[in-house]
Amino acid sequence: MNLRTRSPLFWILAAAAALRLAGLFWGLPASDGWDDDGFAPRNFLTALALTYKPGSYFTYPPLHAFLLAILTLPGSIAALLHVSSWTQAGVVGVFIRPSTMTFFAVTARLVSAAMSLGIIACAGQMAQLIAGRRAGLFAAAACALGVTLTYYGQVTNLDVPYLFWSMLSLICWMRAVARHEPAQFRRAILFAAAAIATKDQAYAIFLLSVPLLLALWFATDNWPRAHARQVFLSILLPALAALFLLLLLDGAITNPAGFARRLAFLTGPASRDYANYAHDKSGRLALLGDAASHFTLGLAAAALAAFGAALCLPGLRKKDPAWLAGLLPLLAIFSFTLCFNFVALRSDARFLLPQAVLATVYIGIAADKLAFAPLPWPGRTALAAIALFALYQCLGVDAALLSDPRYDAERWMAANIRPGDSVETYGQNAYLPRLPQSAIVSRIGPGALAIRNPLPGVRELKQPFGAVENRRPRFIVVSAWWVQRYLALEPVAGGRTPSPILQRQYADADARGYFAALYGGGLRYRPVHQSTPAGGLLPAIHIHESLDENIDIFERVADGPP
């Protein structure tokens, strides 16, 4: 056994990797993924095309798209070799075959898993820089047991990739300050640019935190004042170069019209349409309260993180640069909360992932202090209990992936739907089970067909939901999470408010009346099967909209009243 495998960090990362294997083939093979808002298998090639097409834009920057395009190049070449028609429909039809899409999805999920391990290692390095090796190992273990990171480390959303580059940047900023190494600034700025070029919201991690750290550094440490010119040039020149590369990569130089449209979209509909809180003090207070409730360990994790952060304060009085650098994760937490959460007015689990990960740095410092206190057994007992509960939650994520209700729905449909039966469904690909290819499947909705994400073998129809008697499908398959937008609208209360997009959808009288009648027994359809989370000893997990949600199946009643 070599030195690496004898390292406790190796086994922490190995255990974290094992927790991330469960979701590798979640919902696969298929022509699309179940990870809602995932970047693969469908979006990354589209992102590259639209970023540089004059006047067009894609929601996210293209850096991760370039990475995935390179890694999946063998699959793209294999797909192109089977193209019989070089029209757009012909090329798209070959690429969305299950074999190609599955290869793309698995590759992207492996990249997310690897980057999540990198995030864990960075959290450990941060705590080690501040408080030593033991604190680093505790921090890495705490990060590995993060429930949200366990989920997002298995899917293709951009939240783990941008956080990976952000963590690399933050550790370089910390090393530059703690070790008086201005050369680290170049890496820090390059990694920060990579984070923003992966997902724009990464800016919020750095906007306030880095300037505040540098100001405190100059105020409390003689070294940067004595080497001010060297520090200034080490930051300014790389920052100018990184800004140019970022604008070039983002299409601002090659496609300025599209870049301007993307910024307008991000600062307009992409932010306003999904806000869940009032744009005032009550809304932001409600957001903070909901953010606290998102953390699985609640007060225990918050108390540990607060204790660990407090341990950094004596170092400030001693003007110790390592302890000063130790404030950066805390400053980044505040920066992201103020500059993103308070602006976007959202508290989804993925939008609290930076805070959850950065808090583990201080949890590691606190755990080291408690585990090796003069009377260690109370602290060690409490830490063991917290760790076991966190592991229990992480295993719940894996169980939710492995026993997704959609698997049960697929088994029921395979046993009960005959070839040629008509099946009707609704909503986005990410919310649907894999539908039987032998049936005549139609997806119904009032939206434009051109903007739908196609599924092989599924007819796309633009029709009112309520015209079901004109279509008369034998079966109707509904995602229970998706349909809630038409069945209920949460009232405005305590600073919380339904997002504008949910309010617009709920205003659709046809949809609201149809689904109320479908679920209320007012149509010629009866519920014949409901696929639900498996239950058992592990907890139900609802981190994202497409995880652990019910699927409802209705069958047409041939004769008689509804």
Side-chain angles (χ1 to χ4, degrees):
M1 185 177 289
N2 59 38
L3 290 176
R4 287 184 182 274
T5 57
R6 286 202 296 267
S7 166
L9 180 61
F10 171 85
W11 293 108
I12 291 171
L13 294 176
L19 285 173
R20 282 147 182 77
L21 290 177
L24 188 58
F25 291 97
W26 177 46
L28 299 175
S31 64
D32 204 350
W34 285 351
D35 29 354
D36 188 20
D37 203 27
F39 203 49
R42 295 287 181 92
N43 286 338
F44 67 94
L45 293 178
T46 304
L48 288 179
L50 293 181
T51 297
Y52 303 108
K53 180 181 177 181
S56 298
Y57 70 94
F58 189 75
T59 305
Y60 302 117
L63 180 60
H64 201 62
F66 274 113
L67 175 61
L68 294 183
I70 292 169
L71 294 175
T72 59
L73 189 58
S76 297
I77 293 173
L80 291 172
L81 291 176
H82 290 85
V83 171
S84 57
S85 168
W86 289 96
T87 62
Q88 180 177 343
V91 174
V92 170
V94 169
F95 268 82
I96 65 173
R97 290 176 178 173
S99 56
T100 304
M101 292 290 96
T102 298
F103 174 69
F104 286 178
V106 170
T107 302
R109 289 176 183 180
L110 286 172
V111 172
S112 293
M115 287 183 163
S116 74
L117 298 183
I119 290 170
I120 293 167
C122 283
Q125 287 292 309
M126 289 178 180
Q128 180 173 329
L129 182 67
I130 302 166
R133 180 173 176 271
R134 289 194 317 238
L137 293 174
F138 277 118
C143 192
L145 292 173
V147 177
T148 306
L149 185 61
T150 298
Y151 171 73
Y152 282 102
Q154 304 185 63
V155 294
T156 66
N157 301 66
L158 289 173
D159 301 273
V160 159
Y162 95 79
L163 189 55
F164 167 72
W165 296 115
S166 298
M167 294 291 283
L168 286 176
S169 177
L170 291 173
I171 187 65
C172 289
W173 287 109
M174 291 174 66
R175 287 170 178 165
V177 169
R179 300 173 181 174
H180 297 156
E181 295 179 1
Q184 293 281 347
F185 288 134
R186 291 194 289 272
R187 299 187 188 92
I189 293 167
L190 179 64
F191 289 140
I196 297 169
T198 299
K199 197 171 186 182
D200 299 273
Q201 69 193 51
Y203 82 90
I205 290 178
F206 306 103
L207 189 61
L208 298 179
S209 62
V210 170
L212 285 173
L213 176 70
L214 293 176
L216 288 170
W217 190 36
F218 272 83
T220 60
D221 192 340
N222 292 327
W223 191 91
R225 296 195 295 271
H227 300 81
R229 184 176 183 277
Q230 181 185 1
V231 171
F232 179 74
L233 292 177
S234 297
I235 294 174
L236 179 62
L237 297 180
L240 292 174
L243 178 62
F244 172 77
L245 291 174
L246 180 60
L247 293 175
L248 180 65
L249 190 67
D250 265 8
I253 296 173
T254 57
N255 180 18
F259 181 73
R261 289 182 63 199
R262 184 167 78 87
L263 290 184
F265 171 73
L266 291 175
T267 56
S271 297
R272 292 193 300 267
D273 283 1
Y274 296 91
N276 298 123
Y277 300 91
H279 189 62
D280 55 25
K281 180 181 177 181
S282 68
R284 288 176 173 83
L285 289 174
L287 189 154
L288 289 177
D290 290 345
S293 69
H294 271 291
F295 289 94
T296 307
L297 300 178
L299 290 176
L304 282 174
F307 178 46
L311 291 173
C312 296
L313 297 179
L316 292 181
R317 292 195 294 270
K318 299 175 185 176
K319 299 183 179 180
D320 184 335
W323 288 99
L324 173 64
L327 289 181
L328 184 58
L330 182 62
L331 294 173
I333 288 172
F334 284 117
S335 182
F336 192 83
T337 302
L338 293 175
C339 298
F340 180 78
N341 297 116
F342 277 12
V343 173
L345 295 172
R346 297 183 67 180
S347 63
D348 311 47
R350 59 181 168 145
F351 297 139
L352 297 170
L353 185 58
Q355 293 95 318
V357 165
L358 291 166
T360 63
V361 175
Y362 301 110
I363 289 174
I365 295 171
D368 177 47
K369 192 76 171 179
L370 292 173
F372 293 92
L375 185 63
W377 67 265
R380 292 180 182 180
T381 302
L383 291 172
I386 293 170
L388 287 173
F389 184 71
L391 177 61
Y392 169 72
Q393 295 287 325
C394 292
L395 292 174
V397 172
D398 286 354
L401 295 168
L402 292 172
S403 59
D404 192 295
R406 283 170 286 194
Y407 291 131
D408 175 73
E410 291 169 359
R411 289 190 293 268
W412 189 92
M413 288 188 289
N416 294 277
I417 295 180
R418 301 189 300 267
D421 279 345
S422 56
V423 178
E424 182 166 302
T425 192
Y426 322 99
Q428 294 95 315
N429 298 356
Y431 307 141
L432 299 174
R434 290 166 292 186
L435 298 158
Q437 294 296 296
S438 62
I440 302 171
V441 182
S442 302
R443 177 160 48 183
I444 309 300
L449 299 182
I451 63 174
R452 294 194 194 174
N453 212 342
L455 284 171
V458 175
R459 298 187 307 167
E460 302 290 350
L461 300 179
K462 182 182 178 181
Q463 294 182 10
F465 295 115
V468 68
E469 282 302 311
N470 296 334
R471 300 183 296 267
R472 299 193 177 191
R474 183 183 173 194
F475 294 99
I476 296 175
V477 179
V478 187
S479 161
W481 182 87
W482 177 85
V483 80
Q484 283 301 313
R485 67 196 68 194
Y486 299 114
L487 296 178
L489 191 67
E490 294 182 5
V492 177
R496 300 170 184 85
T497 178
S499 67
I501 194 168
L502 284 180
Q503 293 180 45
R504 289 198 298 271
Q505 290 170 339
Y506 190 72
D508 184 338
D510 168 73
R512 204 168 61 244
Y514 167 67
F515 287 112
L518 178 65
Y519 277 82
L523 299 175
R524 295 183 181 275
Y525 288 88
R526 62 186 177 91
V528 290
H529 187 73
Q530 184 179 65
S531 299
T532 61
L537 295 176
L538 293 171
I541 300 292
H542 301 277
I543 289 177
H544 211 316
E545 293 90 342
S546 60
L547 183 68
D548 238 357
E549 302 293 344
N550 295 352
I551 298 293
D552 298 317
I553 301 176
F554 300 83
E555 185 176 15
R556 185 169 180 82
V557 178
D559 300 302

